[in-house]
Amino acid sequence: MSMGLLVQKFGGTAVGDPERIRAVADHIARTVNSGNQVVVVVSAMGKETDELLRLAEDVSSKRPGREMDMLITAGERKAMSLLCMALHDLGVEADSFTGSQAGFLTDTNHQNAKIVEVKPERIQMALSEGRVPVVGGSQGVSVDNDVTFLGRGGSDTTAVALAHAVKADACELYTDVTGVFTTDPRIVPSARLMTNVSFDELLEMTATGCPKPAMRSVEYARTHGVKLHIRSAFTWQEGTWVGEEKVEMEQAIVSAVTHDTSETKMTISGVPDKPGIAASVFRALSDVDVNVDMIVQNTSEDGVTDISFTVPHGDLEASMSIAENLVEDIGASGVSSDTEVARVTVIGAGMRSNPGVAASMFETLAENGINIQMISTSAIRISCMVAENQINEAVQALHETFGLAES
Ligand code: ASP
Ligand code: MG
C-alpha cells in the first residue's frame, strides 16, 4: 500500500458488533501506523437503520420527515462514537463528527436529502493535528439548519463526497463482499472478482441490479473523478478498483451481466397512434414521481397500438390507478400488468467498438428457449425483459457466452 490520504468507509455489517468494531479499528490503526492519513466514514451497526424505521412505524402513523431524520441519523452517531473509543484503546487519537459538524450542507428534502456543499474545515483541522476524523455517514444539515438523512445507502455518497472535498488519493468502500463480480455469485458460482471496472460500466451495473455500491455514490465519483476501491472488511484483501476507462490492448467486449427482479411490466392497449398520447401518459406518471424504465411501443394497426413499460414494484399501485384514469381520456381500450418479469443486462465498454453483441445475446437467449419481451440499449449496455422464472438461466447462459467465468 502506498502512502497517502485515504477515506475509508465501513458498511453496517463491517461494524455489526463490538468485535467487528474492534477489527475495523485495528485496520484503521494499521493504515495510520504505516504512514497514511485516514478519514473514516461509518454506517449504522448491522440492521440498526431498519430497526429504527420499524420503531418509528410502531410509534407513529405520521412520522414527520424532520423527526425521522433525527431518529435515523442516530444510528451512525452511535457507530462513530463507539469506533472512536475502540481507536483510543489502540492508541490512535480519533474524534467523531456528525454530518453537520463535518460540513455537509444539504437541501431540505428529508429522508432523501441532496448534498449542496461540503465544507470540511473541521475534518482538515483534525487531520492537521494528526487525529483521525470519524464521520457519521448519510447525514448533513439543511439550509434551514435541520438535521437531514441522505437516504438508504447514503454513507457511500458521504465517503465519496468527503474524498473529493479533502482531495483524498482514494476512497475505500469496505463491505461484506470482496468486490464487484462479473455477475451475482449466488446465481453463477464461477463469477469472477473484477480487479478493475470503469465508472461508466459500474454506473450501468448499479442501475441494472448490482446492489453495491449505491448508484448515487458512483455518479458522484464519476463526476468528480474520485478513485474508488471496493473491498472486504472481513478478508481485507484487494478488491475492485473503479476509475476512468483504460484503453486496454485486449479489452473484454462484455465485462458483466446483471439482473433485476424489482420491476413490473405494464401495458396500455388499444392506444390511438397520434401525437401527444405518449407524452400525456408519461407526464402523468412522472408527476407522481414514478420512475419509468424500459418503454416499447408496437407498430400500429388500424391507427391503434400498445405501449408497454416497466415501473418499480413499489410504484405499481399508483401507476395502475393513473393509467386506468388515462385510458378513458386518451381513448385506449385497457391496461394490464405483469409482475412475473425480470431484466437481464450485459454491460461492457468494449461494445462501443464491437458490433454483434446484441446478436450474440439474443441468440443465447433463443438457444435456451427464453423469449424476449422488451429490449433497451445504451452505448455500453443491452437489457432484455424476460419471464422471471427464466432469469437465472438467462444470467448463467450469458455469463458463459461472453466468457466471463473464472478460467
Ligand atoms: N445506514 C444507512 C442505511 O442502511 C446508510 C448507509 O449505510 O449507507 O441505508
Ligand atoms: Mg449501507
Side-chain angles (χ1 to χ4, degrees):
M1 198 184 341
S2 59
M3 287 196 296
L5 172 56
L6 298 172
V7 170
Q8 298 190 326
K9 177 259 171 179
F10 297 92
T13 48
V15 292
D17 58 39
E19 202 183 317
R20 289 296 324 157
I21 291 178
R22 284 194 299 267
V24 163
D26 182 66
H27 181 73
I28 296 166
R30 276 187 283 118
T31 311
V32 170
N33 292 337
S34 56
N36 300 282
Q37 283 185 302
V38 180
V39 178
V40 178
V41 173
V42 72
S43 284
M45 293 171 67
K47 295 257 168 285
E48 174 114 47
T49 307
D50 293 325
E51 273 156 36
L52 292 171
L53 286 166
R54 199 167 337 112
L55 202 52
E57 260 174 59
D58 287 349
V59 167
S60 155
S61 57
K62 288 233 166 43
R63 302 191 290 279
R66 184 186 185 280
E67 302 313 320
M68 285 302 288
D69 287 12
M70 198 64 104
L71 174 72
I72 298 172
T73 53
E76 275 74 19
R77 195 160 163 162
K78 186 168 143 185
M80 72 195 198
S81 44
L82 289 170
L83 183 53
C84 280
M85 294 180 200
L87 283 165
H88 280 265
D89 276 17
L90 298 173
V92 175
E93 299 291 330
D95 300 317
S96 62
F97 296 94
T98 64
S100 167
Q101 291 176 314
F104 279 79
L105 193 66
T106 75
D107 65 15
T108 56
N109 190 13
H110 283 296
Q111 301 209 62
N112 201 20
K114 298 268 170 311
I115 298 168
V116 174
E117 203 186 345
V118 186
K119 295 181 182 165
E121 278 97 55
R122 292 197 67 179
I123 303 306
Q124 272 153 337
M125 181 81 80
L127 284 173
S128 70
E129 289 166 358
R131 305 176 70 83
V132 173
V134 178
V135 178
S138 201
Q139 51 183 273
V141 61
S142 76
V143 289
D144 286 348
N145 256 308
D146 284 319
V147 169
T148 47
F149 181 57
L150 305 187
R152 299 311 304 267
S155 296
D156 290 345
T157 309
T158 297
V160 173
L162 208 45
H164 172 60
V166 301
K167 300 187 174 67
D169 296 302
C171 178
E172 301 185 320
L173 302 176
Y174 287 88
T175 169
D176 52 2
V177 291
T178 47
V180 178
F181 284 80
T182 50
T183 198
D184 186 341
R186 285 166 302 187
I187 296 180
V188 183
S190 62
R192 197 166 34 80
L193 177 70
M194 302 167 84
T195 50
N196 281 284
V197 65
S198 68
F199 290 127
D200 286 347
E201 287 174 317
L202 186 60
L203 201 53
E204 294 276 15
M205 289 174 74
T206 55
T208 57
C210 176
K212 280 177 191 170
M215 183 163 81
R216 239 169 103 189
S217 70
V218 181
E219 262 168 347
Y220 203 107
R222 178 174 70 165
T223 304
H224 299 286
V226 177
K227 208 199 283 176
L228 301 179
H229 187 184
I230 298 153
R231 52 189 302 188
S232 165
F234 290 79
T235 67
W236 304 110
Q237 75 205 78
E238 286 267 318
T240 304
W241 283 96
V242 192
E244 301 296 344
E245 207 165 290
K246 279 203 217 83
V247 187
E248 276 169 24
M249 305 289 281
E250 282 180 72
Q251 167 126 49
I253 297 173
V254 168
S255 308
V257 179
T258 57
H259 77 289
D260 180 6
T261 55
S262 71
E263 304 232 324
T264 294
K265 182 171 84 166
M266 285 179 56
T267 301
I268 305 181
S269 47
V271 178
D273 192 9
K274 58 182 194 204
I277 299 289
S280 58
V281 170
F282 294 106
R283 170 58 62 202
L285 290 168
S286 100
D287 282 347
V288 293
D289 277 338
V290 172
N291 217 337
V292 173
D293 187 39
M294 297 169 114
I295 302 174
V296 171
Q297 178 175 330
N298 287 344
T299 49
S300 63
E301 254 177 68
D302 303 324
V304 295
T305 182
D306 294 342
I307 299 180
S308 293
F309 52 91
T310 62
V311 299
H313 282 325
D315 291 338
L316 178 59
E317 225 175 292
S319 308
M320 278 303 273
S321 80
I322 283 186
E324 276 157 6
N325 285 336
L326 269 172
V327 161
E328 227 174 282
D329 296 354
I330 62 177
S333 58
V335 47
S336 61
S337 66
D338 181 1
T339 55
E340 314 281 289
V341 293
R343 179 178 49 192
V344 62
T345 301
V346 302
I347 293 149
M351 258 183 232
R352 284 200 187 96
S353 46
N354 287 280
V357 177
S360 307
M361 180 178 192
F362 303 157
E363 278 161 9
T364 300
L365 294 174
E367 280 157 17
N368 286 273
I370 298 169
N371 189 42
I372 301 169
Q373 304 183 20
M374 302 169 100
I375 301 166
S376 77
T377 66
S378 81
I380 63 165
R381 167 183 65 80
I382 305 167
S383 296
C384 294
M385 199 54 100
V386 302
E388 188 169 17
N389 63 11
Q390 292 182 303
I391 190 68
N392 287 5
E393 226 182 316
V395 170
Q396 285 153 0
L398 291 166
H399 196 262
E400 172 84 38
T401 290
F402 291 108
L404 298 179
E406 202 90 64
S407 47

